[in-house]
Amino acid sequence: MSERELTMSEALNEALHEEMERDPTVFVVGEDIAQMGGLFQVTTGLLDRFGSQRVIDAPISEAGQAGAGVGAALVGCRPVVELQIADFVSLVMDQVVNHAGKWRYMSGGRVTVPFVLRGAVSSGIGMAAQHSQTLEAWFVHAPGLVVIMPSTPYDAKGLLKAAIRDDNPVVFLEKRLLYSRPGPVPEGEYTVPIGVADVKREGGDVTVVSYAAGVHLALQAARQFAREGVELEVVDLRTLKPLDVDTLVASVRKTGRLVVVTEAARAGSFASEVVARVTDEAFDALQAPPVRVTAKDTPMPYAAPLERAVLPQVDDVVDGVRQVLAGVPA
Protein backbone atom coordinates (compact mmCIF):
# COMPACT_ATOMS: atom_id res chain seq x y z
CA MET A 1 0.00 0.00 0.00
CA SER A 2 1.43 3.36 -0.99
CA GLU A 3 0.98 6.33 1.33
CA ARG A 4 0.00 9.94 0.77
CA GLU A 5 -0.97 12.83 3.04
CA LEU A 6 -4.64 13.46 3.82
CA THR A 7 -6.27 15.68 6.37
CA MET A 8 -8.54 14.01 8.92
CA SER A 9 -11.66 15.36 7.20
CA GLU A 10 -10.42 13.99 3.86
CA ALA A 11 -9.67 10.62 5.46
CA LEU A 12 -13.15 10.43 7.00
CA ASN A 13 -14.71 11.44 3.69
CA GLU A 14 -12.77 8.70 1.91
CA ALA A 15 -13.90 6.15 4.49
CA LEU A 16 -17.54 7.06 3.88
CA HIS A 17 -17.10 6.87 0.11
CA GLU A 18 -15.44 3.47 0.33
CA GLU A 19 -17.95 1.94 2.72
CA MET A 20 -20.95 3.24 0.79
CA GLU A 21 -19.42 1.85 -2.40
CA ARG A 22 -18.75 -1.50 -0.75
CA ASP A 23 -22.09 -1.95 1.01
CA PRO A 24 -25.39 -0.63 -0.41
CA THR A 25 -27.02 -0.79 3.04
CA VAL A 26 -24.78 2.04 4.28
CA PHE A 27 -26.38 5.48 4.17
CA VAL A 28 -25.75 8.82 5.85
CA VAL A 29 -28.19 11.26 7.40
CA GLY A 30 -27.82 14.62 9.14
CA GLU A 31 -28.26 18.36 8.89
CA ASP A 32 -26.73 19.97 5.78
CA ILE A 33 -24.73 16.86 4.88
CA ALA A 34 -25.94 16.49 1.28
CA GLN A 35 -25.78 19.61 -0.88
CA MET A 36 -23.62 21.50 1.60
CA GLY A 37 -21.33 18.53 2.24
CA GLY A 38 -21.58 18.90 6.00
CA LEU A 39 -20.75 21.86 8.21
CA PHE A 40 -17.11 20.73 8.21
CA GLN A 41 -17.14 19.22 4.69
CA VAL A 42 -16.72 15.61 5.79
CA THR A 43 -19.58 14.43 3.53
CA THR A 44 -18.51 16.40 0.45
CA GLY A 45 -19.25 14.60 -2.82
CA LEU A 46 -21.41 11.84 -1.35
CA LEU A 47 -24.64 13.25 -2.75
CA ASP A 48 -23.26 13.38 -6.30
CA ARG A 49 -21.98 9.82 -6.07
CA PHE A 50 -24.78 8.05 -4.19
CA GLY A 51 -27.89 10.20 -4.57
CA SER A 52 -30.51 11.56 -2.22
CA GLN A 53 -31.83 8.14 -1.16
CA ARG A 54 -28.56 7.39 0.61
CA VAL A 55 -27.33 10.89 1.48
CA ILE A 56 -30.19 12.50 3.36
CA ASP A 57 -30.49 16.10 4.50
CA ALA A 58 -32.53 15.88 7.69
CA PRO A 59 -34.71 18.45 9.44
CA ILE A 60 -33.29 20.13 12.53
CA SER A 61 -34.28 17.30 14.86
CA GLU A 62 -31.36 15.36 16.29
CA ALA A 63 -33.77 13.03 18.07
CA GLY A 64 -35.48 12.29 14.76
CA GLN A 65 -32.19 11.65 12.98
CA ALA A 66 -30.93 9.28 15.65
CA GLY A 67 -34.29 7.53 15.96
CA ALA A 68 -34.45 6.97 12.21
CA GLY A 69 -30.89 5.63 12.28
CA VAL A 70 -31.56 3.19 15.09
CA GLY A 71 -34.74 1.96 13.41
CA ALA A 72 -32.95 1.48 10.11
CA ALA A 73 -30.16 -0.44 11.83
CA LEU A 74 -32.71 -2.78 13.42
CA VAL A 75 -34.08 -3.75 9.98
CA GLY A 76 -30.73 -4.44 8.30
CA CYS A 77 -29.22 -1.11 7.21
CA ARG A 78 -25.95 0.45 8.40
CA PRO A 79 -26.77 4.10 8.99
CA VAL A 80 -24.23 6.81 9.79
CA VAL A 81 -25.86 9.75 11.56
CA GLU A 82 -23.95 13.03 11.73
CA LEU A 83 -24.49 15.53 14.53
CA GLN A 84 -23.14 18.91 13.47
CA ILE A 85 -21.80 19.54 16.97
CA ALA A 86 -21.12 16.80 19.52
CA ASP A 87 -22.88 18.80 22.27
CA PHE A 88 -26.17 17.92 20.59
CA VAL A 89 -25.83 14.38 21.92
CA SER A 90 -27.94 15.58 24.83
CA LEU A 91 -30.88 15.50 22.41
CA VAL A 92 -30.35 11.86 21.39
CA MET A 93 -29.67 10.15 24.71
CA ASP A 94 -32.88 8.14 24.72
CA GLN A 95 -32.42 6.86 21.17
CA VAL A 96 -28.73 6.05 21.60
CA VAL A 97 -28.44 4.97 25.24
CA ASN A 98 -31.84 3.39 25.92
CA HIS A 99 -32.51 1.91 22.48
CA ALA A 100 -29.36 1.46 20.37
CA GLY A 101 -27.29 0.42 23.37
CA LYS A 102 -29.82 -2.05 24.76
CA TRP A 103 -31.52 -3.84 21.87
CA ARG A 104 -28.87 -6.49 21.29
CA TYR A 105 -28.95 -7.46 24.98
CA MET A 106 -32.73 -7.26 25.33
CA SER A 107 -33.26 -9.48 22.27
CA GLY A 108 -30.85 -12.11 23.54
CA GLY A 109 -28.55 -11.40 20.62
CA ARG A 110 -31.21 -12.01 17.99
CA VAL A 111 -30.94 -8.49 16.58
CA THR A 112 -27.93 -6.26 16.03
CA VAL A 113 -27.72 -2.47 15.87
CA PRO A 114 -25.00 -1.52 13.34
CA PHE A 115 -25.45 2.21 13.90
CA VAL A 116 -22.76 4.93 13.89
CA LEU A 117 -23.28 8.34 15.47
CA ARG A 118 -20.66 10.88 14.40
CA GLY A 119 -20.15 14.24 16.12
CA ALA A 120 -17.60 17.04 16.05
CA VAL A 121 -16.06 18.08 19.37
CA SER A 122 -15.67 21.80 18.75
CA SER A 123 -13.78 23.23 21.72
CA GLY A 124 -10.89 25.54 20.90
CA ILE A 125 -12.56 27.45 18.07
CA GLY A 126 -14.69 29.98 19.95
CA MET A 127 -18.00 28.11 19.87
CA ALA A 128 -18.84 28.97 23.50
CA ALA A 129 -20.49 26.97 26.26
CA GLN A 130 -23.21 25.10 24.35
CA HIS A 131 -21.04 24.03 21.41
CA SER A 132 -17.67 23.18 22.98
CA GLN A 133 -18.16 20.29 25.39
CA THR A 134 -16.19 17.04 25.46
CA LEU A 135 -18.80 14.49 26.56
CA GLU A 136 -17.42 11.06 25.71
CA ALA A 137 -17.67 9.91 29.34
CA TRP A 138 -21.47 10.05 29.10
CA PHE A 139 -21.41 7.26 26.53
CA VAL A 140 -18.60 5.24 28.08
CA HIS A 141 -20.84 4.98 31.14
CA ALA A 142 -23.71 3.47 29.08
CA PRO A 143 -23.52 -0.32 28.58
CA GLY A 144 -23.83 -1.58 25.02
CA LEU A 145 -22.07 1.27 23.22
CA VAL A 146 -18.67 1.45 21.54
CA VAL A 147 -16.91 4.83 21.91
CA ILE A 148 -14.13 5.97 19.56
CA MET A 149 -12.06 9.18 19.43
CA PRO A 150 -9.22 9.15 16.85
CA SER A 151 -6.22 11.47 16.81
CA THR A 152 -4.79 11.00 13.29
CA PRO A 153 -6.13 10.75 9.73
CA TYR A 154 -4.88 7.15 9.48
CA ASP A 155 -6.75 6.10 12.61
CA ALA A 156 -9.82 8.16 11.73
CA LYS A 157 -10.28 6.44 8.37
CA GLY A 158 -9.52 2.93 9.58
CA LEU A 159 -11.65 3.22 12.69
CA LEU A 160 -14.64 4.74 10.87
CA LYS A 161 -14.58 1.88 8.37
CA ALA A 162 -14.38 -0.61 11.23
CA ALA A 163 -17.22 1.18 13.05
CA ILE A 164 -19.51 1.02 10.04
CA ARG A 165 -18.87 -2.71 9.70
CA ASP A 166 -19.36 -3.38 13.41
CA ASP A 167 -22.66 -4.88 14.53
CA ASN A 168 -22.73 -2.77 17.70
CA PRO A 169 -23.79 0.88 18.01
CA VAL A 170 -20.75 3.17 17.85
CA VAL A 171 -20.38 6.75 19.08
CA PHE A 172 -17.62 8.22 16.92
CA LEU A 173 -16.38 11.60 18.18
CA GLU A 174 -14.07 13.75 16.04
CA LYS A 175 -12.07 16.73 17.28
CA ARG A 176 -12.89 19.72 15.06
CA LEU A 177 -9.38 21.21 15.35
CA LEU A 178 -7.91 17.98 13.95
CA TYR A 179 -9.97 18.03 10.74
CA SER A 180 -7.35 20.08 8.89
CA ARG A 181 -4.36 18.26 10.37
CA PRO A 182 -2.60 16.14 7.70
CA GLY A 183 -1.05 12.73 8.10
CA PRO A 184 -0.06 9.64 6.11
CA VAL A 185 -2.95 7.46 4.89
CA PRO A 186 -2.46 4.36 2.72
CA GLU A 187 -4.20 4.27 -0.64
CA GLY A 188 -5.21 0.62 -0.28
CA GLU A 189 -7.95 -1.01 1.76
CA TYR A 190 -7.40 -1.19 5.53
CA THR A 191 -9.23 -0.95 8.82
CA VAL A 192 -8.02 -0.20 12.34
CA PRO A 193 -9.22 -2.72 14.95
CA ILE A 194 -11.66 -1.44 17.53
CA GLY A 195 -10.47 -1.79 21.12
CA VAL A 196 -6.74 -1.62 20.41
CA ALA A 197 -4.64 1.29 21.70
CA ASP A 198 -1.59 2.54 19.84
CA VAL A 199 1.77 3.53 21.33
CA LYS A 200 2.49 6.71 19.39
CA ARG A 201 5.90 7.18 21.00
CA GLU A 202 7.94 4.73 23.07
CA GLY A 203 9.71 5.75 26.25
CA GLY A 204 10.75 4.37 29.60
CA ASP A 205 10.21 7.14 32.15
CA VAL A 206 6.54 8.19 32.19
CA THR A 207 3.42 6.82 30.48
CA VAL A 208 1.20 9.60 29.10
CA VAL A 209 -2.22 8.35 28.03
CA SER A 210 -4.64 10.35 25.92
CA TYR A 211 -6.89 10.38 22.87
CA ALA A 212 -7.97 12.78 20.12
CA ALA A 213 -6.33 16.24 20.49
CA GLY A 214 -4.73 15.32 23.82
CA VAL A 215 -2.39 12.93 22.00
CA HIS A 216 -0.78 15.84 20.18
CA LEU A 217 -0.32 17.76 23.43
CA ALA A 218 1.37 14.67 24.86
CA LEU A 219 3.65 14.31 21.85
CA GLN A 220 4.70 17.96 22.07
CA ALA A 221 5.48 17.50 25.75
CA ALA A 222 7.44 14.33 24.94
CA ARG A 223 9.63 16.19 22.47
CA GLN A 224 10.33 18.85 25.11
CA PHE A 225 11.25 16.30 27.76
CA ALA A 226 13.45 14.38 25.32
CA ARG A 227 15.76 17.41 25.26
CA GLU A 228 16.14 16.93 29.02
CA GLY A 229 16.86 13.22 28.72
CA VAL A 230 13.40 12.15 29.95
CA GLU A 231 11.55 9.79 27.62
CA LEU A 232 7.74 9.79 27.69
CA GLU A 233 5.74 6.87 26.34
CA VAL A 234 2.62 8.27 24.63
CA VAL A 235 -0.31 5.85 24.46
CA ASP A 236 -3.21 6.81 22.19
CA LEU A 237 -6.31 4.97 23.38
CA ARG A 238 -8.18 5.50 20.07
CA THR A 239 -11.06 3.41 21.43
CA LEU A 240 -12.36 4.40 24.85
CA LYS A 241 -14.81 1.52 25.04
CA PRO A 242 -13.82 -1.26 24.86
CA LEU A 243 -10.66 -0.04 26.60
CA ASP A 244 -7.33 -1.68 25.82
CA VAL A 245 -6.30 -2.29 29.43
CA ASP A 246 -3.50 -4.67 28.43
CA THR A 247 -1.58 -1.97 26.54
CA LEU A 248 -2.08 0.51 29.39
CA VAL A 249 -0.85 -1.90 32.03
CA ALA A 250 2.13 -3.03 29.96
CA SER A 251 3.23 0.58 29.52
CA VAL A 252 2.79 1.51 33.19
CA ARG A 253 4.67 -1.61 34.28
CA LYS A 254 7.53 -0.42 32.08
CA THR A 255 7.59 3.23 33.25
CA GLY A 256 6.09 3.11 36.75
CA ARG A 257 4.40 6.48 36.26
CA LEU A 258 1.11 7.59 34.71
CA VAL A 259 -0.27 10.89 33.41
CA VAL A 260 -3.67 10.98 31.71
CA VAL A 261 -4.62 13.90 29.44
CA THR A 262 -8.16 14.80 28.37
CA GLU A 263 -9.93 17.93 27.15
CA ALA A 264 -13.01 16.96 29.15
CA ALA A 265 -13.84 18.66 32.44
CA ARG A 266 -12.12 17.03 35.40
CA ALA A 267 -15.08 15.78 37.47
CA GLY A 268 -16.24 12.39 36.20
CA SER A 269 -13.91 12.52 33.19
CA PHE A 270 -12.67 9.42 31.38
CA ALA A 271 -9.22 10.23 32.75
CA SER A 272 -10.47 9.11 36.15
CA GLU A 273 -11.55 5.76 34.69
CA VAL A 274 -8.13 5.22 33.14
CA VAL A 275 -6.44 5.93 36.47
CA ALA A 276 -8.83 3.56 38.25
CA ARG A 277 -8.27 0.73 35.79
CA VAL A 278 -4.50 1.07 35.95
CA THR A 279 -4.48 1.11 39.75
CA ASP A 280 -6.75 -1.94 39.75
CA GLU A 281 -4.40 -3.88 37.49
CA ALA A 282 -0.93 -2.44 38.18
CA PHE A 283 -0.94 -0.66 41.55
CA ASP A 284 2.23 -2.50 42.53
CA ALA A 285 4.06 -1.01 39.53
CA LEU A 286 3.28 2.62 40.30
CA GLN A 287 6.20 4.59 41.70
CA ALA A 288 4.18 7.79 42.15
CA PRO A 289 0.51 8.83 42.33
CA PRO A 290 -1.06 9.12 38.85
CA VAL A 291 -1.79 12.63 37.59
CA ARG A 292 -4.79 13.82 35.57
CA VAL A 293 -4.43 16.78 33.19
CA THR A 294 -7.93 17.96 32.27
CA ALA A 295 -10.05 20.94 31.36
CA LYS A 296 -11.36 23.12 34.16
CA ASP A 297 -14.76 22.35 35.68
CA THR A 298 -16.51 25.32 34.13
CA PRO A 299 -18.67 26.04 31.08
CA MET A 300 -16.52 26.86 28.07
CA PRO A 301 -15.96 30.64 27.64
CA TYR A 302 -16.36 32.31 24.27
CA ALA A 303 -13.32 34.58 24.49
CA ALA A 304 -10.20 32.90 23.08
CA PRO A 305 -7.87 33.73 26.03
CA LEU A 306 -10.41 32.38 28.51
CA GLU A 307 -11.00 29.27 26.38
CA ARG A 308 -7.27 28.57 26.38
CA ALA A 309 -7.25 28.98 30.15
CA VAL A 310 -9.97 26.34 30.53
CA LEU A 311 -8.56 23.78 28.08
CA PRO A 312 -5.35 21.87 28.87
CA GLN A 313 -2.27 23.18 27.07
CA VAL A 314 1.17 21.69 26.49
CA ASP A 315 2.50 23.50 29.57
CA ASP A 316 -0.17 21.77 31.66
CA VAL A 317 0.99 18.37 30.40
CA VAL A 318 4.58 19.32 31.16
CA ASP A 319 3.58 20.35 34.68
CA GLY A 320 1.71 17.06 35.14
CA VAL A 321 4.74 15.06 34.08
CA ARG A 322 6.97 17.02 36.46
CA GLN A 323 4.49 16.29 39.25
CA VAL A 324 4.58 12.57 38.65
CA LEU A 325 8.35 12.56 38.32
CA ALA A 326 8.54 14.31 41.70
CA GLY A 327 6.00 11.94 43.20
CA VAL A 328 3.70 14.84 44.13
CA PRO A 329 -0.05 14.02 44.30
CA ALA A 330 -2.21 15.99 41.86
Side-chain angles (χ1 to χ4, degrees):
M1 295 187 292
S2 60
E3 289 194 350
R4 68 271 153 85
E5 292 268 315
L6 295 181
T7 65
M8 183 180 283
S9 62
E10 291 170 337
L12 291 165
N13 180 270
E14 192 167 87
L16 290 169
H17 271 90
E18 291 179 5
E19 291 306 298
M20 293 179 73
E21 193 74 54
R22 184 187 64 83
D23 185 348
T25 69
V26 178
F27 70 92
V28 295
V29 59
E31 296 166 24
D32 299 322
I33 66 162
Q35 291 186 355
M36 181 177 169
L39 182 63
F40 303 119
Q41 301 301 295
V42 174
T43 55
T44 298
L46 293 179
L47 178 64
D48 292 340
R49 176 64 188 88
F50 299 104
S52 60
Q53 294 298 304
R54 296 180 65 194
V55 185
I56 304 168
D57 269 334
I60 303 176
S61 173
E62 285 77 14
Q65 297 160 30
V70 174
L74 288 170
V75 296
C77 294
R78 292 185 176 272
V80 180
V81 176
E82 177 182 309
L83 301 179
Q84 281 191 344
I85 304 294
D87 302 55
F88 302 161
V89 298
S90 60
L91 301 170
V92 304
M93 294 300 281
D94 184 49
Q95 292 82 354
V96 176
V97 172
N98 287 331
H99 295 280
K102 305 298 188 291
W103 266 109
R104 194 167 190 178
Y105 168 78
M106 294 175 67
S107 70
R110 288 175 293 176
V111 300
T112 58
V113 192
F115 162 81
V116 177
L117 180 72
R118 293 181 45 246
V121 177
S122 297
S123 55
I125 59 173
M127 296 287 278
Q130 295 174 328
H131 294 72
S132 301
Q133 297 170 93
T134 306
L135 301 172
E136 64 278 357
W138 289 7
F139 293 107
V140 172
H141 187 65
L145 301 176
V146 173
V147 183
I148 295 172
M149 291 189 73
S151 69
T152 66
Y154 175 89
D155 290 339
K157 179 181 178 180
L159 283 166
L160 182 56
K161 287 168 69 71
I164 292 170
R165 298 179 192 187
D166 198 274
D167 285 335
N168 296 297
V170 179
V171 177
F172 196 100
L173 299 176
E174 304 151 10
K175 177 66 178 182
R176 167 64 184 87
L177 279 175
L178 297 181
Y179 278 152
S180 60
R181 193 181 189 100
V185 179
E187 291 187 357
E189 165 69 18
Y190 76 95
T191 60
V192 172
I194 292 172
V196 179
D198 184 40
V199 178
K200 289 289 193 283
R201 180 186 176 111
E202 294 191 359
D205 296 313
V206 180
T207 296
V208 183
V209 176
S210 193
Y211 49 92
V215 172
H216 300 283
L217 297 178
L219 289 171
Q220 290 181 62
R223 289 190 287 271
Q224 179 173 328
F225 274 102
R227 294 193 292 270
E228 303 176 18
V230 176
E231 293 297 332
L232 308 187
E233 179 146 295
V234 178
V235 179
D236 181 357
L237 296 178
R238 303 194 294 194
T239 303
L240 280 60
K241 191 174 184 180
L243 179 64
D244 185 357
V245 177
D246 290 345
T247 297
L248 290 177
V249 169
S251 180
V252 170
R253 288 199 176 280
K254 178 168 67 171
T255 66
R257 296 176 174 86
L258 173 65
V259 175
V260 188
V261 181
T262 177
E263 290 195 318
R266 187 178 183 86
S269 71
F270 190 67
S272 302
E273 175 67 14
V274 172
V275 169
R277 295 298 296 272
V278 169
T279 53
D280 283 347
E281 302 287 338
F283 181 78
D284 60 306
L286 290 169
Q287 300 175 31
V291 170
R292 292 170 294 160
V293 178
T294 71
K296 307 295 191 298
D297 281 316
T298 181
M300 192 63 64
Y302 170 73
L306 294 178
E307 189 175 35
R308 286 193 296 272
V310 169
L311 289 169
Q313 307 296 321
V314 175
D315 287 347
D316 298 312
V317 180
V318 170
D319 289 345
V321 172
R322 295 201 189 283
Q323 274 187 303
V324 81
L325 285 170
V328 179

